[in-house]
């Protein structure tokens, strides 16, 4: 186990309408920023951020929404590390009549579009989903060529890519990107467990994925839904860092909705400390991840 374990909070995610189930899921930039600060106060060193249309609550790629969230967090004076998503722009569903065409609800976008907010806002970290996989209603498409283009643009902006892998083959592809020099410096991996239809959230699967990573890599892990807290314990025991949040799980216990991201972070802190480790501060997380100094 790590002496100091980083906790990340994934605040809102990109699912269509989770706030219909749990109204604590933040929607507006003000709500997302407020959740970020609350999660940090509870023990999170990193906040992982998607944005939503304030009117509809649906996931968005609008640059102005990212700008407002990041501005609000930075204006507060918080030292929490900001991790922006680059996942939106990879959703594909074939048209029902002509499968050679994308359906109207597909969101495929160019590499440049998917990272425009990264280049402008320069967060500490951003996700890079090394994954092409099936979701129940669509395919999530990230081809190696586009991943390499995005990785280059991200790193040119001075931002650290977090390599999100959902299955063993994704971990293999991400490792090859490190070995071929596409990912520079000390790599950071996120093992995403229990997402349909990728690797189930089991100890055996997390161990296999961890063992596929290059030597010396920093990694974290999380599980969705009922897998969330078991995977916190599993990642910590196996030498990784952890993630929780309303993006991944809406409940604090079976049948009991979480009151917010802070409550989920507090439970992760309890697990980490019960296992004998300490929770990393943002400054300690910056050192562990070998990030540039805070401005």
């Amino acid at each position: 186990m790590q002496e100091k374990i980083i906790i990340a909070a994934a605040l809102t995610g990109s699912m269509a309408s989770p706030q219909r189930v749990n109204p604590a899921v933040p929607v507006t930039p003000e709500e997302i920023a407020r959740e970020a600060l609350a999660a940090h106060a509870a023990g999170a060193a990193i906040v992982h951020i998607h944005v939503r249309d304030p009117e509809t609550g649906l996931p968005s790629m609008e640059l102005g929404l990212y700008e407002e969230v990041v501005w609000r967090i930075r204006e507060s004076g918080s030292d929490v590390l900001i991790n922006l998503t680059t996942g939106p722009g990879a959703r594909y569903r074939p048209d029902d009549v002509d499968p050679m065409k994308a359906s109207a609800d597909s969101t495929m976008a160019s590499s440049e579009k998917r990272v425009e907010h990264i280049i402008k806002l320069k967060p500490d970290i951003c996700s890079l989903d090394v994954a092409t996989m099936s979701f129940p209603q669509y395919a999530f498409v990230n081809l190696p060529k586009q991943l390499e283009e995005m990785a280059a643009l991200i790193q040119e902006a001075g931002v650290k890519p977090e390599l999100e892998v959902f299955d063993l083959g994704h971990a293999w592809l991400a490792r090859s990107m490190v070995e071929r020099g596409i990912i520079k410096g000390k790599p950071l991996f996120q093992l995403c467990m229990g997402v349909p239809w990728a690797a189930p959230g089991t100890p055996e699967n997390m161990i296999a994925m961890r063992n596929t990573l290059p030597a010396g890599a920093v990694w974290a892990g999380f599980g969705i839904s009922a897998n969330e807290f078991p995977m916190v314990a599993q990642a910590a025991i196996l030498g990784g860092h952890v993630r929780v949040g309303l993006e991944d799980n809406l409940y604090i216990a079976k049948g009991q909705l979480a009151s917010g991201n802070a409550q989920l972070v507090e439970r992760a802190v309890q697990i980490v400390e019960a296992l004998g480790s300490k929770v990393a501060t943002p400054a300690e997380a910056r050192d562990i991840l070998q990030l540039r100094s805070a401005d």
Side-chain angles (χ1 to χ4, degrees):
M1 290 178 60
Q2 301 285 339
E3 180 182 354
K4 292 291 180 75
I5 291 179
I6 301 167
I7 297 178
L11 305 175
T12 189
S14 62
M15 297 303 290
S17 300
Q19 61 272 24
R20 293 179 183 172
V21 177
N22 187 337
V25 175
V27 172
T28 69
E30 181 179 8
E31 290 169 348
I32 294 169
R34 186 167 61 240
E35 281 291 297
L37 298 177
H40 172 42
I46 300 171
V47 288
H48 176 60
I49 296 169
H50 292 250
V51 293
R52 294 181 176 275
D53 184 311
E55 299 298 324
T56 66
L58 295 175
S60 174
M61 295 178 68
E62 176 60 44
L63 176 59
L65 297 175
Y66 284 110
E67 287 180 314
E68 183 178 348
V69 174
V70 171
W71 175 82
R72 286 179 178 275
I73 295 171
R74 288 174 173 166
E75 188 70 11
S76 75
S78 174
D79 62 346
V80 70
L81 276 61
I82 296 175
N83 177 341
L84 299 183
T85 184
T86 67
R91 185 173 297 187
Y92 178 80
R93 186 171 70 82
D95 180 80
D96 292 334
V97 176
D98 184 356
M100 290 296 290
K101 296 179 181 179
S103 64
D105 58 348
S106 294
T107 61
M108 298 299 293
S110 68
S111 300
E112 292 77 11
K113 175 65 177 175
R114 290 178 64 184
V115 300
E116 65 174 356
H117 58 303
I118 307 302
I119 293 169
K120 182 165 186 181
L121 301 175
K122 294 181 170 53
D124 302 287
I125 306 164
C126 71
S127 63
L128 183 62
D129 296 287
V130 186
T132 293
M133 55 188 287
S134 294
F135 281 84
Q137 302 300 325
Y138 60 87
F140 187 47
V141 181
N142 295 280
L143 298 181
K145 178 179 182 293
Q146 189 171 34
L147 291 172
E148 293 179 15
E149 292 170 349
M150 292 171 66
L153 292 167
I154 289 164
Q155 292 170 117
E156 286 169 9
V159 178
K160 190 177 193 72
E162 176 190 67
L163 302 168
E164 294 207 353
V165 296
F166 297 74
D167 216 334
L168 195 58
H170 304 158
W172 185 10
L173 172 56
R175 185 186 72 190
S176 80
M177 293 174 68
V178 174
E179 292 170 345
R180 289 180 287 131
I182 294 162
I183 301 299
K184 315 293 184 185
K186 194 176 189 70
L188 169 62
F189 290 81
Q190 182 73 256
L191 309 186
C192 313
M193 312 299 299
V195 177
W197 301 108
T202 66
E204 294 83 0
N205 286 334
M206 182 173 274
I207 290 168
M209 291 168 69
R210 181 205 61 178
N211 290 348
T212 302
L213 306 182
V218 178
W219 68 276
F222 73 87
I224 68 162
S225 191
N227 286 302
E228 183 168 63
F229 297 123
M231 289 297 103
V232 167
Q234 190 66 58
I237 290 167
L238 291 175
H241 303 278
V242 304
R243 173 177 131 174
V244 292
L246 291 172
E247 173 175 349
D248 305 327
N249 168 45
L250 301 175
Y251 294 85
I252 188 64
K254 186 174 182 179
Q256 182 181 346
L257 292 172
S259 61
N261 284 285
Q263 188 180 32
L264 299 173
V265 172
E266 288 167 357
R267 179 64 55 82
V269 170
Q270 293 170 352
I271 294 170
V272 166
E273 291 180 344
L275 291 171
S277 289
K278 296 181 180 179
V279 174
T281 66
E284 290 167 337
R286 191 176 294 279
D287 183 61
I288 292 166
L289 300 176
Q290 297 184 2
L291 297 177
R292 66 183 190 277
S293 299
D295 294 333

